[in-house]
């Protein structure tokens, strides 16, 4: 019936390494959010200097709208990292429940659904970010002779990202059904 | 539930306590209490068999159906 002692799964190497990786990633994301949050006001404060620096690099001197586009990209970065933190937090709780030997609960289904929504939102943010970056590169135009500038834009909607969203939503349903079966099993004598 | 478990009556008839039955059939006292109080959602054939063996009864003696009490 109810499991009161922790199963040997708690000491599983896979679970331990997953927990460790999740903690490292969480702190990296928090660091990223903090850096970007401080960098945005600094960038806005020195926007005229940044625009002047860019004027030395590009044939057509870009206006302050490019600085605002950079700020927009940084904001999208913050949103993406917060969404990742949201997903990581839920994944950590699922990993903990696996360690406790009781993963088939309704709350885990809800957590997976939340991760699916977060993964979908990350896809949208990435898509918007790539559009914004492309627009910025086209505004910047050609580089002055002797100057170097390259920006590799990778984004848009990826098949693997969409598959991840679908996988998470299907897994959420699997866990819902698992929770129902667990309830039945717990009531079986 | 419309199914009633008459374990109490059978235990009384056999002059046996729940803990005694628990030892004989190898089912925890907690699980037998759940069965006795009608809180169980399902019952394994192996449990039914063990109880019938120890209490010298038929499954029909242990379970009864009463109309109109379903959840």
């Amino acid at each position: 019936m109810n499991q009161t002692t922790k199963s040997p799964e708690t000491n599983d190497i896979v679970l331990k390494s997953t927990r460790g990786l999740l903690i490292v990633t969480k702190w990296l994301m928090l660091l990223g959010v903090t850096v970007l949050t401080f960098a945005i006001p600094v960038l806005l404060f020195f926007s005229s200097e940044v625009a002047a620096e860019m004027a030395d690099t590009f044939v057509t001197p870009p206006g302050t709208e490019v600085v605002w586009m950079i700020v927009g990209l940084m904001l999208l970065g913050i949103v993406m990292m917060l969404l990742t933190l949201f997903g990581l937090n839920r994944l950590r709780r699922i990993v903990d429940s696996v360690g406790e030997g009781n993963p088939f609960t309704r709350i885990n289904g809800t957590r997976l659904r939340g991760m699916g929504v977060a993964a979908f939102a990350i896809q949208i943010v990435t898509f918007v970010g790539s559009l914004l970056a492309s627009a910025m590169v086209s505004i910047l135009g050609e580089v002055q002779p002797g100057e170097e500038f390259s920006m590799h834009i990778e984004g848009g909607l990826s098949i693997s990202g969409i598959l991840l969203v679908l996988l998470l939503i299907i897994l959420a349903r699997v866990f819902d059904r698992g929770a129902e079966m667990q309830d039945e099993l717990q009531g079986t004598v | 539930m419309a199914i009633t478990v008459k374990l109490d009556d059978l235990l009384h008839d056999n002059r046996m306590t729940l803990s005694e039955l628990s030892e004989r059939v190898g089912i925890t006292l907690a699980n037998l209490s759940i069965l006795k109080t009608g809180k169980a959602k399902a019952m394994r054939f192996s449990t039914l068999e063990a109880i019938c063996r120890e209490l010298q009864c038929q499954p029909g003696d242990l379970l009864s159906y009463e109309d109109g009490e379903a959840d």
Side-chain angles (χ1 to χ4, degrees), chain A residues 89-125:
Chain A
N89 187 38
R90 264 133 198 86
L91 183 59
R92 185 184 57 78
R93 286 168 194 230
I94 292 171
V95 170
D96 285 347
S97 72
V98 174
E100 284 158 11
N102 190 25
F104 289 113
T105 52
R106 278 185 177 77
I107 187 72
N108 274 352
T110 310
R111 283 170 185 153
L112 279 166
R113 214 167 280 114
M115 285 167 68
V117 172
F120 180 70
I122 287 172
Q123 285 293 306
I124 300 294
V125 170

PDB file of all heavy atoms in Angstrom, chain A residues 89-125:
ATOM      1  N   ASN A  89      12.290  23.192 -12.995  1.00  0.00           N
ATOM      2  CA  ASN A  89      11.729  23.035 -11.652  1.00  0.00           C
ATOM      3  C   ASN A  89      10.733  21.868 -11.607  1.00  0.00           C
ATOM      4  O   ASN A  89      10.750  21.053 -10.688  1.00  0.00           O
ATOM      5  CB  ASN A  89      11.054  24.347 -11.245  1.00  0.00           C
ATOM      6  CG  ASN A  89      10.599  24.325  -9.806  1.00  0.00           C
ATOM      7  OD1 ASN A  89      11.286  23.787  -8.954  1.00  0.00           O
ATOM      8  ND2 ASN A  89       9.439  24.888  -9.552  1.00  0.00           N
ATOM      9  N   ARG A  90       9.905  21.795 -12.656  1.00  0.00           N
ATOM     10  CA  ARG A  90       8.935  20.708 -12.720  1.00  0.00           C
ATOM     11  C   ARG A  90       9.629  19.350 -12.930  1.00  0.00           C
ATOM     12  O   ARG A  90       9.261  18.355 -12.321  1.00  0.00           O
ATOM     13  CB  ARG A  90       7.914  20.969 -13.832  1.00  0.00           C
ATOM     14  CG  ARG A  90       6.675  21.612 -13.308  1.00  0.00           C
ATOM     15  CD  ARG A  90       6.193  22.796 -14.118  1.00  0.00           C
ATOM     16  NE  ARG A  90       5.280  23.592 -13.313  1.00  0.00           N
ATOM     17  CZ  ARG A  90       5.678  24.548 -12.482  1.00  0.00           C
ATOM     18  NH1 ARG A  90       6.965  24.812 -12.344  1.00  0.00           N
ATOM     19  NH2 ARG A  90       4.799  25.231 -11.774  1.00  0.00           N
ATOM     20  N   LEU A  91      10.648  19.373 -13.779  1.00  0.00           N
ATOM     21  CA  LEU A  91      11.392  18.132 -14.038  1.00  0.00           C
ATOM     22  C   LEU A  91      12.072  17.636 -12.757  1.00  0.00           C
ATOM     23  O   LEU A  91      12.076  16.436 -12.467  1.00  0.00           O
ATOM     24  CB  LEU A  91      12.430  18.373 -15.145  1.00  0.00           C
ATOM     25  CG  LEU A  91      13.244  17.156 -15.582  1.00  0.00           C
ATOM     26  CD1 LEU A  91      12.347  16.039 -16.090  1.00  0.00           C
ATOM     27  CD2 LEU A  91      14.238  17.534 -16.672  1.00  0.00           C
ATOM     28  N   ARG A  92      12.613  18.570 -11.964  1.00  0.00           N
ATOM     29  CA  ARG A  92      13.276  18.197 -10.710  1.00  0.00           C
ATOM     30  C   ARG A  92      12.275  17.516  -9.762  1.00  0.00           C
ATOM     31  O   ARG A  92      12.576  16.515  -9.132  1.00  0.00           O
ATOM     32  CB  ARG A  92      13.867  19.440 -10.041  1.00  0.00           C
ATOM     33  CG  ARG A  92      14.689  19.147  -8.794  1.00  0.00           C
ATOM     34  CD  ARG A  92      15.152  20.418  -8.128  1.00  0.00           C
ATOM     35  NE  ARG A  92      14.050  21.307  -7.763  1.00  0.00           N
ATOM     36  CZ  ARG A  92      13.249  21.143  -6.707  1.00  0.00           C
ATOM     37  NH1 ARG A  92      13.444  20.131  -5.906  1.00  0.00           N
ATOM     38  NH2 ARG A  92      12.281  21.993  -6.458  1.00  0.00           N
ATOM     39  N   ARG A  93      11.063  18.060  -9.724  1.00  0.00           N
ATOM     40  CA  ARG A  93      10.046  17.460  -8.844  1.00  0.00           C
ATOM     41  C   ARG A  93       9.645  16.063  -9.326  1.00  0.00           C
ATOM     42  O   ARG A  93       9.374  15.174  -8.522  1.00  0.00           O
ATOM     43  CB  ARG A  93       8.815  18.364  -8.772  1.00  0.00           C
ATOM     44  CG  ARG A  93       9.084  19.587  -7.926  1.00  0.00           C
ATOM     45  CD  ARG A  93       8.002  20.615  -8.074  1.00  0.00           C
ATOM     46  NE  ARG A  93       8.429  21.877  -7.522  1.00  0.00           N
ATOM     47  CZ  ARG A  93       7.716  22.583  -6.658  1.00  0.00           C
ATOM     48  NH1 ARG A  93       6.576  22.145  -6.235  1.00  0.00           N
ATOM     49  NH2 ARG A  93       8.159  23.736  -6.222  1.00  0.00           N
ATOM     50  N   ILE A  94       9.596  15.906 -10.659  1.00  0.00           N
ATOM     51  CA  ILE A  94       9.270  14.570 -11.204  1.00  0.00           C
ATOM     52  C   ILE A  94      10.388  13.593 -10.846  1.00  0.00           C
ATOM     53  O   ILE A  94      10.131  12.473 -10.407  1.00  0.00           O
ATOM     54  CB  ILE A  94       9.051  14.634 -12.739  1.00  0.00           C
ATOM     55  CG1 ILE A  94       7.774  15.419 -13.061  1.00  0.00           C
ATOM     56  CG2 ILE A  94       8.960  13.232 -13.342  1.00  0.00           C
ATOM     57  CD1 ILE A  94       7.561  15.720 -14.517  1.00  0.00           C
ATOM     58  N   VAL A  95      11.637  14.039 -11.005  1.00  0.00           N
ATOM     59  CA  VAL A  95      12.796  13.193 -10.668  1.00  0.00           C
ATOM     60  C   VAL A  95      12.740  12.808  -9.193  1.00  0.00           C
ATOM     61  O   VAL A  95      12.969  11.651  -8.827  1.00  0.00           O
ATOM     62  CB  VAL A  95      14.117  13.919 -11.021  1.00  0.00           C
ATOM     63  CG1 VAL A  95      15.317  13.173 -10.462  1.00  0.00           C
ATOM     64  CG2 VAL A  95      14.268  14.057 -12.534  1.00  0.00           C
ATOM     65  N   ASP A  96      12.397  13.768  -8.315  1.00  0.00           N
ATOM     66  CA  ASP A  96      12.275  13.486  -6.877  1.00  0.00           C
ATOM     67  C   ASP A  96      11.211  12.418  -6.627  1.00  0.00           C
ATOM     68  O   ASP A  96      11.413  11.526  -5.802  1.00  0.00           O
ATOM     69  CB  ASP A  96      11.913  14.761  -6.101  1.00  0.00           C
ATOM     70  CG  ASP A  96      13.112  15.689  -5.956  1.00  0.00           C
ATOM     71  OD1 ASP A  96      14.239  15.237  -6.236  1.00  0.00           O
ATOM     72  OD2 ASP A  96      12.923  16.868  -5.588  1.00  0.00           O
ATOM     73  N   SER A  97      10.074  12.522  -7.341  1.00  0.00           N
ATOM     74  CA  SER A  97       8.996  11.551  -7.130  1.00  0.00           C
ATOM     75  C   SER A  97       9.415  10.166  -7.616  1.00  0.00           C
ATOM     76  O   SER A  97       9.010   9.163  -7.039  1.00  0.00           O
ATOM     77  CB  SER A  97       7.698  12.002  -7.804  1.00  0.00           C
ATOM     78  OG  SER A  97       7.802  11.884  -9.199  1.00  0.00           O
ATOM     79  N   VAL A  98      10.245  10.105  -8.662  1.00  0.00           N
ATOM     80  CA  VAL A  98      10.771   8.814  -9.125  1.00  0.00           C
ATOM     81  C   VAL A  98      11.679   8.242  -8.034  1.00  0.00           C
ATOM     82  O   VAL A  98      11.609   7.052  -7.712  1.00  0.00           O
ATOM     83  CB  VAL A  98      11.546   8.968 -10.460  1.00  0.00           C
ATOM     84  CG1 VAL A  98      12.213   7.659 -10.860  1.00  0.00           C
ATOM     85  CG2 VAL A  98      10.607   9.417 -11.577  1.00  0.00           C
ATOM     86  N   GLY A  99      12.489   9.105  -7.420  1.00  0.00           N
ATOM     87  CA  GLY A  99      13.379   8.683  -6.338  1.00  0.00           C
ATOM     88  C   GLY A  99      12.609   8.147  -5.146  1.00  0.00           C
ATOM     89  O   GLY A  99      13.056   7.227  -4.464  1.00  0.00           O
ATOM     90  N   GLU A 100      11.439   8.731  -4.899  1.00  0.00           N
ATOM     91  CA  GLU A 100      10.611   8.290  -3.767  1.00  0.00           C
ATOM     92  C   GLU A 100       9.829   7.023  -4.105  1.00  0.00           C
ATOM     93  O   GLU A 100       9.149   6.472  -3.255  1.00  0.00           O
ATOM     94  CB  GLU A 100       9.644   9.407  -3.369  1.00  0.00           C
ATOM     95  CG  GLU A 100      10.327  10.531  -2.599  1.00  0.00           C
ATOM     96  CD  GLU A 100       9.550  11.838  -2.659  1.00  0.00           C
ATOM     97  OE1 GLU A 100       8.394  11.832  -3.122  1.00  0.00           O
ATOM     98  OE2 GLU A 100      10.128  12.862  -2.257  1.00  0.00           O
ATOM     99  N   GLY A 101       9.901   6.600  -5.359  1.00  0.00           N
ATOM    100  CA  GLY A 101       9.232   5.369  -5.789  1.00  0.00           C
ATOM    101  C   GLY A 101       7.754   5.540  -6.077  1.00  0.00           C
ATOM    102  O   GLY A 101       7.015   4.562  -6.126  1.00  0.00           O
ATOM    103  N   ASN A 102       7.309   6.778  -6.240  1.00  0.00           N
ATOM    104  CA  ASN A 102       5.882   7.003  -6.507  1.00  0.00           C
ATOM    105  C   ASN A 102       5.689   8.044  -7.627  1.00  0.00           C
ATOM    106  O   ASN A 102       5.188   9.139  -7.394  1.00  0.00           O
ATOM    107  CB  ASN A 102       5.197   7.460  -5.212  1.00  0.00           C
ATOM    108  CG  ASN A 102       3.693   7.473  -5.333  1.00  0.00           C
ATOM    109  OD1 ASN A 102       3.121   6.754  -6.154  1.00  0.00           O
ATOM    110  ND2 ASN A 102       3.042   8.300  -4.536  1.00  0.00           N
ATOM    111  N   PRO A 103       6.079   7.681  -8.857  1.00  0.00           N
ATOM    112  CA  PRO A 103       5.989   8.690  -9.932  1.00  0.00           C
ATOM    113  C   PRO A 103       4.599   8.825 -10.558  1.00  0.00           C
ATOM    114  O   PRO A 103       4.288   9.860 -11.142  1.00  0.00           O
ATOM    115  CB  PRO A 103       6.999   8.189 -10.965  1.00  0.00           C
ATOM    116  CG  PRO A 103       7.047   6.719 -10.757  1.00  0.00           C
ATOM    117  CD  PRO A 103       6.688   6.442  -9.325  1.00  0.00           C
ATOM    118  N   PHE A 104       3.768   7.775 -10.438  1.00  0.00           N
ATOM    119  CA  PHE A 104       2.477   7.834 -11.134  1.00  0.00           C
ATOM    120  C   PHE A 104       1.425   8.550 -10.284  1.00  0.00           C
ATOM    121  O   PHE A 104       0.565   7.929  -9.670  1.00  0.00           O
ATOM    122  CB  PHE A 104       2.019   6.437 -11.549  1.00  0.00           C
ATOM    123  CG  PHE A 104       2.845   5.893 -12.670  1.00  0.00           C
ATOM    124  CD1 PHE A 104       3.663   4.808 -12.480  1.00  0.00           C
ATOM    125  CD2 PHE A 104       2.831   6.511 -13.913  1.00  0.00           C
ATOM    126  CE1 PHE A 104       4.455   4.327 -13.506  1.00  0.00           C
ATOM    127  CE2 PHE A 104       3.619   6.040 -14.951  1.00  0.00           C
ATOM    128  CZ  PHE A 104       4.433   4.952 -14.742  1.00  0.00           C
ATOM    129  N   THR A 105       1.547   9.879 -10.271  1.00  0.00           N
ATOM    130  CA  THR A 105       0.588  10.705  -9.546  1.00  0.00           C
ATOM    131  C   THR A 105       0.017  11.738 -10.515  1.00  0.00           C
ATOM    132  O   THR A 105       0.645  12.050 -11.525  1.00  0.00           O
ATOM    133  CB  THR A 105       1.283  11.443  -8.382  1.00  0.00           C
ATOM    134  OG1 THR A 105       2.427  12.113  -8.908  1.00  0.00           O
ATOM    135  CG2 THR A 105       1.736  10.500  -7.293  1.00  0.00           C
ATOM    136  N   ARG A 106      -1.165  12.239 -10.173  1.00  0.00           N
ATOM    137  CA  ARG A 106      -1.809  13.226 -11.055  1.00  0.00           C
ATOM    138  C   ARG A 106      -0.975  14.499 -11.184  1.00  0.00           C
ATOM    139  O   ARG A 106      -0.919  15.116 -12.232  1.00  0.00           O
ATOM    140  CB  ARG A 106      -3.201  13.547 -10.536  1.00  0.00           C
ATOM    141  CG  ARG A 106      -4.185  12.506 -10.979  1.00  0.00           C
ATOM    142  CD  ARG A 106      -5.613  12.829 -10.598  1.00  0.00           C
ATOM    143  NE  ARG A 106      -6.473  11.795 -11.151  1.00  0.00           N
ATOM    144  CZ  ARG A 106      -6.614  10.589 -10.637  1.00  0.00           C
ATOM    145  NH1 ARG A 106      -5.960  10.269  -9.548  1.00  0.00           N
ATOM    146  NH2 ARG A 106      -7.402   9.690 -11.194  1.00  0.00           N
ATOM    147  N   ILE A 107      -0.305  14.860 -10.087  1.00  0.00           N
ATOM    148  CA  ILE A 107       0.483  16.099 -10.091  1.00  0.00           C
ATOM    149  C   ILE A 107       1.627  15.997 -11.113  1.00  0.00           C
ATOM    150  O   ILE A 107       1.972  16.990 -11.754  1.00  0.00           O
ATOM    151  CB  ILE A 107       0.983  16.452  -8.665  1.00  0.00           C
ATOM    152  CG1 ILE A 107       1.653  17.832  -8.620  1.00  0.00           C
ATOM    153  CG2 ILE A 107       1.927  15.416  -8.103  1.00  0.00           C
ATOM    154  CD1 ILE A 107       0.725  18.982  -8.744  1.00  0.00           C
ATOM    155  N   ASN A 108       2.180  14.789 -11.297  1.00  0.00           N
ATOM    156  CA  ASN A 108       3.245  14.636 -12.288  1.00  0.00           C
ATOM    157  C   ASN A 108       2.701  14.819 -13.708  1.00  0.00           C
ATOM    158  O   ASN A 108       3.400  15.354 -14.569  1.00  0.00           O
ATOM    159  CB  ASN A 108       3.928  13.277 -12.143  1.00  0.00           C
ATOM    160  CG  ASN A 108       5.038  13.322 -11.114  1.00  0.00           C
ATOM    161  OD1 ASN A 108       5.382  14.400 -10.618  1.00  0.00           O
ATOM    162  ND2 ASN A 108       5.588  12.179 -10.776  1.00  0.00           N
ATOM    163  N   GLY A 109       1.474  14.396 -13.936  1.00  0.00           N
ATOM    164  CA  GLY A 109       0.826  14.637 -15.237  1.00  0.00           C
ATOM    165  C   GLY A 109       0.691  16.131 -15.476  1.00  0.00           C
ATOM    166  O   GLY A 109       0.995  16.639 -16.571  1.00  0.00           O
ATOM    167  N   THR A 110       0.260  16.845 -14.432  1.00  0.00           N
ATOM    168  CA  THR A 110       0.112  18.297 -14.530  1.00  0.00           C
ATOM    169  C   THR A 110       1.464  18.962 -14.779  1.00  0.00           C
ATOM    170  O   THR A 110       1.583  19.887 -15.575  1.00  0.00           O
ATOM    171  CB  THR A 110      -0.519  18.848 -13.226  1.00  0.00           C
ATOM    172  OG1 THR A 110      -1.670  18.065 -12.940  1.00  0.00           O
ATOM    173  CG2 THR A 110      -0.926  20.296 -13.353  1.00  0.00           C
ATOM    174  N   ARG A 111       2.503  18.447 -14.078  1.00  0.00           N
ATOM    175  CA  ARG A 111       3.856  19.005 -14.258  1.00  0.00           C
ATOM    176  C   ARG A 111       4.330  18.814 -15.692  1.00  0.00           C
ATOM    177  O   ARG A 111       4.888  19.740 -16.305  1.00  0.00           O
ATOM    178  CB  ARG A 111       4.840  18.314 -13.309  1.00  0.00           C
ATOM    179  CG  ARG A 111       4.723  18.802 -11.890  1.00  0.00           C
ATOM    180  CD  ARG A 111       5.519  17.929 -10.952  1.00  0.00           C
ATOM    181  NE  ARG A 111       5.325  18.332  -9.573  1.00  0.00           N
ATOM    182  CZ  ARG A 111       5.441  17.530  -8.536  1.00  0.00           C
ATOM    183  NH1 ARG A 111       5.736  16.262  -8.718  1.00  0.00           N
ATOM    184  NH2 ARG A 111       5.261  17.978  -7.323  1.00  0.00           N
ATOM    185  N   LEU A 112       4.095  17.625 -16.251  1.00  0.00           N
ATOM    186  CA  LEU A 112       4.526  17.367 -17.626  1.00  0.00           C
ATOM    187  C   LEU A 112       3.779  18.260 -18.612  1.00  0.00           C
ATOM    188  O   LEU A 112       4.357  18.757 -19.580  1.00  0.00           O
ATOM    189  CB  LEU A 112       4.295  15.897 -17.981  1.00  0.00           C
ATOM    190  CG  LEU A 112       5.377  14.942 -17.490  1.00  0.00           C
ATOM    191  CD1 LEU A 112       4.907  13.506 -17.567  1.00  0.00           C
ATOM    192  CD2 LEU A 112       6.649  15.103 -18.314  1.00  0.00           C
ATOM    193  N   ARG A 113       2.491  18.468 -18.332  1.00  0.00           N
ATOM    194  CA  ARG A 113       1.694  19.344 -19.207  1.00  0.00           C
ATOM    195  C   ARG A 113       2.264  20.768 -19.135  1.00  0.00           C
ATOM    196  O   ARG A 113       2.377  21.448 -20.161  1.00  0.00           O
ATOM    197  CB  ARG A 113       0.228  19.315 -18.769  1.00  0.00           C
ATOM    198  CG  ARG A 113      -0.738  19.440 -19.926  1.00  0.00           C
ATOM    199  CD  ARG A 113      -2.148  19.109 -19.540  1.00  0.00           C
ATOM    200  NE  ARG A 113      -2.362  17.674 -19.492  1.00  0.00           N
ATOM    201  CZ  ARG A 113      -2.635  16.975 -18.406  1.00  0.00           C
ATOM    202  NH1 ARG A 113      -2.750  17.545 -17.260  1.00  0.00           N
ATOM    203  NH2 ARG A 113      -2.800  15.675 -18.457  1.00  0.00           N
ATOM    204  N   GLY A 114       2.641  21.198 -17.928  1.00  0.00           N
ATOM    205  CA  GLY A 114       3.252  22.518 -17.747  1.00  0.00           C
ATOM    206  C   GLY A 114       4.557  22.626 -18.507  1.00  0.00           C
ATOM    207  O   GLY A 114       4.843  23.644 -19.145  1.00  0.00           O
ATOM    208  N   MET A 115       5.360  21.538 -18.481  1.00  0.00           N
ATOM    209  CA  MET A 115       6.623  21.528 -19.227  1.00  0.00           C
ATOM    210  C   MET A 115       6.348  21.609 -20.735  1.00  0.00           C
ATOM    211  O   MET A 115       7.095  22.263 -21.468  1.00  0.00           O
ATOM    212  CB  MET A 115       7.409  20.244 -18.909  1.00  0.00           C
ATOM    213  CG  MET A 115       8.066  20.272 -17.546  1.00  0.00           C
ATOM    214  SD  MET A 115       8.656  18.647 -17.055  1.00  0.00           S
ATOM    215  CE  MET A 115       9.976  18.415 -18.214  1.00  0.00           C
ATOM    216  N   GLY A 116       5.276  20.948 -21.182  1.00  0.00           N
ATOM    217  CA  GLY A 116       4.902  20.998 -22.595  1.00  0.00           C
ATOM    218  C   GLY A 116       4.539  22.413 -23.014  1.00  0.00           C
ATOM    219  O   GLY A 116       4.973  22.894 -24.075  1.00  0.00           O
ATOM    220  N   VAL A 117       3.772  23.098 -22.154  1.00  0.00           N
ATOM    221  CA  VAL A 117       3.374  24.482 -22.440  1.00  0.00           C
ATOM    222  C   VAL A 117       4.623  25.374 -22.474  1.00  0.00           C
ATOM    223  O   VAL A 117       4.775  26.229 -23.361  1.00  0.00           O
ATOM    224  CB  VAL A 117       2.340  24.987 -21.395  1.00  0.00           C
ATOM    225  CG1 VAL A 117       2.077  26.473 -21.554  1.00  0.00           C
ATOM    226  CG2 VAL A 117       1.042  24.211 -21.525  1.00  0.00           C
ATOM    227  N   ALA A 118       5.541  25.142 -21.514  1.00  0.00           N
ATOM    228  CA  ALA A 118       6.780  25.940 -21.466  1.00  0.00           C
ATOM    229  C   ALA A 118       7.620  25.703 -22.723  1.00  0.00           C
ATOM    230  O   ALA A 118       8.164  26.650 -23.307  1.00  0.00           O
ATOM    231  CB  ALA A 118       7.576  25.587 -20.214  1.00  0.00           C
ATOM    232  N   ALA A 119       7.703  24.429 -23.155  1.00  0.00           N
ATOM    233  CA  ALA A 119       8.483  24.106 -24.359  1.00  0.00           C
ATOM    234  C   ALA A 119       7.862  24.777 -25.587  1.00  0.00           C
ATOM    235  O   ALA A 119       8.581  25.269 -26.472  1.00  0.00           O
ATOM    236  CB  ALA A 119       8.538  22.591 -24.548  1.00  0.00           C
ATOM    237  N   PHE A 120       6.520  24.818 -25.633  1.00  0.00           N
ATOM    238  CA  PHE A 120       5.829  25.482 -26.748  1.00  0.00           C
ATOM    239  C   PHE A 120       6.117  26.985 -26.725  1.00  0.00           C
ATOM    240  O   PHE A 120       6.426  27.587 -27.760  1.00  0.00           O
ATOM    241  CB  PHE A 120       4.316  25.222 -26.639  1.00  0.00           C
ATOM    242  CG  PHE A 120       3.514  25.860 -27.739  1.00  0.00           C
ATOM    243  CD1 PHE A 120       3.595  25.384 -29.037  1.00  0.00           C
ATOM    244  CD2 PHE A 120       2.689  26.949 -27.477  1.00  0.00           C
ATOM    245  CE1 PHE A 120       2.875  25.983 -30.059  1.00  0.00           C
ATOM    246  CE2 PHE A 120       1.963  27.552 -28.488  1.00  0.00           C
ATOM    247  CZ  PHE A 120       2.050  27.065 -29.785  1.00  0.00           C
ATOM    248  N   ALA A 121       6.055  27.569 -25.519  1.00  0.00           N
ATOM    249  CA  ALA A 121       6.330  29.006 -25.382  1.00  0.00           C
ATOM    250  C   ALA A 121       7.777  29.320 -25.785  1.00  0.00           C
ATOM    251  O   ALA A 121       8.035  30.345 -26.429  1.00  0.00           O
ATOM    252  CB  ALA A 121       6.063  29.449 -23.947  1.00  0.00           C
ATOM    253  N   ILE A 122       8.706  28.426 -25.450  1.00  0.00           N
ATOM    254  CA  ILE A 122      10.116  28.622 -25.835  1.00  0.00           C
ATOM    255  C   ILE A 122      10.237  28.626 -27.365  1.00  0.00           C
ATOM    256  O   ILE A 122      10.970  29.437 -27.935  1.00  0.00           O
ATOM    257  CB  ILE A 122      11.020  27.535 -25.187  1.00  0.00           C
ATOM    258  CG1 ILE A 122      11.168  27.819 -23.686  1.00  0.00           C
ATOM    259  CG2 ILE A 122      12.403  27.483 -25.843  1.00  0.00           C
ATOM    260  CD1 ILE A 122      11.853  26.745 -22.890  1.00  0.00           C
ATOM    261  N   GLN A 123       9.484  27.747 -28.025  1.00  0.00           N
ATOM    262  CA  GLN A 123       9.491  27.714 -29.501  1.00  0.00           C
ATOM    263  C   GLN A 123       9.034  29.050 -30.069  1.00  0.00           C
ATOM    264  O   GLN A 123       9.637  29.590 -30.997  1.00  0.00           O
ATOM    265  CB  GLN A 123       8.546  26.607 -29.996  1.00  0.00           C
ATOM    266  CG  GLN A 123       9.078  25.210 -29.837  1.00  0.00           C
ATOM    267  CD  GLN A 123      10.276  24.977 -30.730  1.00  0.00           C
ATOM    268  OE1 GLN A 123      10.222  25.182 -31.930  1.00  0.00           O
ATOM    269  NE2 GLN A 123      11.389  24.606 -30.135  1.00  0.00           N
ATOM    270  N   ILE A 124       7.964  29.595 -29.484  1.00  0.00           N
ATOM    271  CA  ILE A 124       7.409  30.874 -29.966  1.00  0.00           C
ATOM    272  C   ILE A 124       8.434  31.986 -29.729  1.00  0.00           C
ATOM    273  O   ILE A 124       8.702  32.799 -30.630  1.00  0.00           O
ATOM    274  CB  ILE A 124       6.070  31.201 -29.240  1.00  0.00           C
ATOM    275  CG1 ILE A 124       5.024  30.106 -29.497  1.00  0.00           C
ATOM    276  CG2 ILE A 124       5.539  32.570 -29.641  1.00  0.00           C
ATOM    277  CD1 ILE A 124       4.547  29.965 -30.921  1.00  0.00           C
ATOM    278  N   VAL A 125       9.020  32.006 -28.524  1.00  0.00           N
ATOM    279  CA  VAL A 125      10.004  33.054 -28.180  1.00  0.00           C
ATOM    280  C   VAL A 125      11.209  32.971 -29.125  1.00  0.00           C
ATOM    281  O   VAL A 125      11.699  33.988 -29.623  1.00  0.00           O
ATOM    282  CB  VAL A 125      10.434  32.919 -26.695  1.00  0.00           C
ATOM    283  CG1 VAL A 125      11.612  33.830 -26.387  1.00  0.00           C
ATOM    284  CG2 VAL A 125       9.273  33.272 -25.773  1.00  0.00           C
TER     285      VAL A 125
END
